[in-house]
Amino acid sequence: MTKQRRVLDTNFKLEVVRLIKDQGLSVRNVSETMNVGPTAIRRWVKQYDAEQNGQPGIGKPLTAEQQRIRQLEQENRRLKGDIEILKKASAFFARELK
C-alpha cells in the first residue's frame, strides 16, 4: 500500500519558514512539531531566501511577488506565441491577395 503524498499550501510553507527565520527555531524542532520532513523545510527556506534575493528559486513560488512574476512570465509567453501566429496568418493572407 503506497503512502499518499500530502499537498501543503503556500501559506503553510511560509508560516513554517517564518518560524525558522523570525523566531529562530531549528529545522528539526519545526519538523517534529509540524509533522513535515526536515528536507522539505530546508528546501522551503532555500526557496524563500532565493526569492528574497530577487531570484526565481526552484519549485512553486512562495512569496506573492514571485507568484505574480511567474504569472506574468506565463502570460508573456502566451502573448508572444499569439503574436507569432498573427504574423504568420497576415503573411499567408498577404500572399493570397496577390
Side-chain angles (χ1 to χ4, degrees):
M1 194 164 167
T2 60
K3 186 176 180 181
Q4 193 160 19
R5 187 175 192 170
R6 288 189 328 181
V7 178
L8 302 171
D9 69 336
T10 304
N11 292 329
F12 177 80
K13 293 176 184 179
L14 274 175
E15 186 61 34
V16 169
V17 170
R18 287 188 184 119
L19 286 172
I20 293 169
K21 290 291 203 177
D22 297 342
Q23 297 183 11
L25 299 175
S26 70
V27 172
R28 182 177 179 194
N29 188 9
V30 174
S31 171
E32 292 169 356
T33 304
M34 297 294 208
N35 195 26
V36 178
T39 305
I41 293 175
R42 284 188 197 95
R43 188 173 56 245
W44 299 341
V45 170
K46 186 176 180 181
Q47 172 82 21
Y48 182 81
D49 289 340
E51 290 177 9
Q52 291 302 309
N53 291 327
Q55 301 168 348
I58 300 171
K60 286 186 177 181
L62 294 177
T63 61
E65 296 86 20
Q66 286 297 324
Q67 290 172 355
R68 181 71 176 141
I69 289 170
R70 177 95 33 111
Q71 178 187 6
L72 290 171
E73 287 172 343
Q74 289 173 345
E75 184 178 350
N76 192 13
R77 280 192 297 276
R78 183 183 57 80
L79 292 172
K80 284 182 179 181
D82 291 350
I83 289 170
E84 285 301 314
I85 290 171
L86 291 172
K87 283 181 182 178
K88 290 176 183 178
S90 65
F92 173 78
F93 288 119
R95 281 193 306 259
E96 290 293 317
L97 292 175
K98 289 183 180 181

